[in-house]
Amino acid sequence: MRRILIVGGGYAGFYTAWKLEKHLRRGEAEVTLVDPRPYLTYQPFLPEVVAGSVEARHAAVSLRRHLRRTRIVAGKVTAIDHAHRVVTVRPADGAAFEQRYDLIAVTAGAVTRTLPVPGVAEQAIGLKHVEEAVAIRDRLLTAFDRAAALPGGPQRRKLLTVAFVGGGFSGVEGFGELLSLATALLGRYPELRRDELRFHLVEASGRILPEVTERPGRWVVRELERRGAHVHLNTSVTSAVDGHVTLSTGEAFDAGLIVWTAGNGANPVIGRHTDLPVDDRGYVVVRPDLRVEGVPGAWAAGDAAAVPDLASPVPGARTVPNAQHAYRQGKLLARNIIATLRGREPKPYVHHSLGAIATLGLGRGIFQYRRLVVTGLPAWLLHRGYHVLAVPTWERKVRVLAVWLTQALFGRDILSLASVQHPRDAFVAAGRTVAGAARPGHANGLASIPQVCPAAGKVPEIR
């Protein structure tokens, strides 16, 4: 039996495994998928998770629930040695081990591209995973609570200032959705004024949303500015030390929340720890049929691969790294692997763009297909309709629709659960309080509880 190994459980990896399960004959091959996360993140929903329009769990699809005939390995591939048909896997616990295979599909995706800007590593947060989207939402909600209890001044202004770095789809959608949430929150906080809210979008190039043409891009800038945002084009962040953001234009401000969405970079494992051929950007070089160039038994797709774009009139063009291509490449990859197992020729990947669509906040959006441009509420409805159809599995579609219908009736949920990121704090603090209050001879039944060990920060065992 042939052993097929899939590296990465994102769009391309999930759909490859899903379609292999559906079409492989029993006993024809065994499929193993390696990923450190037990779920696929549906990234187009992350901006709506930020705004609370989609529940965090509904933006993720469980691998084990939906890939029932695939062996799931919870770990990170740290090296690929295709010459010996083996990868090195590092699990969350325990020692690294080797996983052997006959065919490999590299679908490891990309990582957030960071730059050596002082303070960014310590202060900023990305927007590529569900955990990050939840943290951004909770930080904003917590900032409103804290700012409402403070008098006007620098500390309050900092709490109410948000900076997004990067004007691509992820940055603009996240920015627009968070701005929509923050504006709606003002009605719940009479202590705060609209002019105290500061939202900055910083983009190094001269335009945002490069996937749309220039005129719709300018409309998005005007729309955001009309809602009170500050859009800085041809501008970069030179420092973010202690939340003090300095721009290349000389402007500076203190931000309580900095979100970094300045593009994607090649997965370092693919770029530096494999004997597969990669280009100068660190992406696996593949043929149009997704076979790795000149390497038998190796395939790649999605954001980790440099896939020729046969639908583009530009010679040598590569498909852009987005969900639209990744999920279609994953399905084709499964069909092509099965075709080669059965002695047939694989087919090339050709996909003509369905257009570009983005949400800019509740009831606001933009859609462009060639020369057709739709803005406002109709584009927002198209955005929701498209993505509820595109999210994998009917189970997730129904859950997302249920949340949207509930919000239409009752409005946004503005509850912050920031404390869930530190679940032991209340328990430890309570132990310290009880231990500190207890005194020998007290008749409260707590006299035998010893003091907290300050060095360890834990409550000793009660005897």
Side-chain angles (χ1 to χ4, degrees):
M1 186 183 296
R2 307 297 296 274
R3 297 167 298 179
I4 302 172
L5 177 67
I6 301 171
V7 179
Y11 296 107
F14 175 84
Y15 276 100
T16 300
W18 204 18
K19 295 301 179 181
L20 284 173
E21 283 192 356
K22 289 180 181 292
H23 300 294
L24 279 172
R25 299 167 185 150
R26 189 167 298 277
E28 189 172 15
E30 61 179 22
V31 181
T32 300
L33 187 149
V34 182
D35 196 283
R37 287 182 168 82
Y39 54 81
L40 153 72
T41 300
Y42 189 73
Q43 292 182 2
F45 275 158
L46 293 186
E48 296 207 52
V49 172
V50 166
S53 299
V54 171
E55 289 291 334
R57 286 185 175 88
H58 300 167
V61 178
S62 170
L63 298 179
R64 292 186 182 274
R65 176 169 183 168
H66 298 287
L67 300 179
R68 299 179 181 179
R69 293 171 52 196
T70 299
R71 178 179 171 234
I72 308 296
V73 177
K76 182 178 181 180
V77 171
T78 58
I80 300 174
D81 181 3
H82 189 68
H84 297 93
R85 305 292 173 105
V86 65
V87 300
T88 303
V89 180
R90 187 180 67 208
D93 302 294
F97 60 90
E98 292 186 342
Q99 178 74 41
R100 298 195 171 275
Y101 62 86
D102 298 307
L103 298 175
I104 189 170
V106 180
T107 56
V111 298
T112 301
R113 183 182 63 188
T114 57
L115 300 174
V117 178
V120 166
E122 295 78 18
Q123 300 293 326
I125 184 170
L127 185 51
K128 199 171 182 63
H129 302 289
V130 172
E131 303 91 335
E132 294 171 325
V134 172
I136 291 169
R137 169 180 164 80
D138 284 343
R139 286 190 188 185
L140 180 78
L141 294 172
T142 302
F144 266 71
D145 285 331
R146 293 171 59 191
L150 291 173
Q155 188 175 358
R156 180 156 145 168
R157 283 197 301 272
K158 180 176 181 178
L159 286 169
L160 296 176
T161 300
V162 175
F164 271 66
V165 184
F169 260 88
S170 179
V172 171
E173 288 191 310
F175 184 82
E177 287 285 355
L178 198 65
L179 175 60
S180 178
L181 172 62
T183 304
L185 284 175
L186 288 171
R188 305 282 184 174
Y189 291 84
E191 306 91 339
L192 304 179
R193 303 189 313 273
R194 178 65 183 85
D195 60 358
E196 293 180 291
L197 197 62
R198 293 284 188 272
F199 268 67
H200 298 266
L201 176 62
V202 184
E203 168 55 40
S205 69
R207 52 175 298 192
I208 61 175
L209 292 181
E211 292 85 352
V212 302
T213 54
E214 188 172 350
R215 186 175 178 181
R218 290 198 303 267
W219 178 88
V220 174
V221 172
R222 293 195 302 271
E223 167 67 13
L224 294 174
E225 291 178 337
R226 184 186 64 80
R227 292 160 57 188
H230 304 271
V231 181
H232 308 266
L233 300 178
N234 296 309
T235 306
S236 58
V237 174
T238 58
S239 177
V241 176
D242 296 328
H244 184 71
V245 179
T246 304
L247 305 181
S248 57
T249 58
E251 184 178 353
F253 52 86
D254 290 325
L257 175 59
I258 303 172
V259 183
W260 187 271
T261 60
N264 294 324
N267 191 306
V269 174
I270 307 304
R272 297 193 294 269
H273 301 285
T274 176
D275 56 354
L276 297 175
V278 297
D279 63 12
D280 54 357
R281 302 174 302 162
Y283 298 99
V284 180
V285 179
V286 299
R287 297 165 52 174
D289 58 14
L290 306 180
R291 286 184 288 187
V292 177
E293 188 67 50
V295 183
W299 306 74
D303 294 356
V307 181
D309 189 354
L310 300 185
S312 172
V314 180
R318 299 286 187 263
T319 58
V320 296
N322 62 22
Q324 192 175 136
H325 284 297
Y327 113 87
R328 286 176 172 81
Q329 289 171 11
K331 293 196 294 185
L332 177 66
L333 179 53
R335 293 196 298 267
N336 280 352
I337 289 175
I338 293 173
T340 58
L341 290 177
R342 298 173 184 173
R344 301 196 304 267
E345 283 297 311
K347 296 181 178 180
Y349 175 75
V350 183
H351 172 65
H352 296 273
S353 174
L354 301 177
I357 191 165
T359 174
L360 303 174
L362 193 62
R364 302 176 177 91
I366 183 168
F367 167 73
Q368 181 178 19
Y369 177 71
R370 297 181 180 176
R371 294 185 178 182
L372 173 65
V373 177
V374 181
T375 61
L377 180 62
W380 179 77
L381 292 172
L382 283 172
H383 177 274
R384 286 205 161 183
Y386 172 78
H387 284 298
V388 80
L389 291 174
V391 67
T393 79
W394 279 102
E395 172 249 345
R396 277 297 179 260
K397 299 178 198 297
V398 172
R399 290 183 186 273
V400 170
L401 278 173
V403 172
W404 284 344
L405 291 173
T406 302
Q407 286 193 341
L409 292 174
F410 302 108
R412 296 177 187 267
D413 189 337
I414 60 171
L415 177 66
S416 169
L417 292 177
S419 59
V420 79
Q421 298 170 39
H422 307 280
R424 296 189 66 255
D425 285 0
F427 173 76
V428 172
R432 287 173 177 161
T433 302
V434 171
R439 294 290 183 272
H442 282 199
N444 57 8
L446 299 176
S448 61
I449 299 179
Q451 296 290 321
V452 175
C453 173
K458 298 179 180 179
V459 180
E461 180 182 0
I462 297 176
R463 299 184 183 279

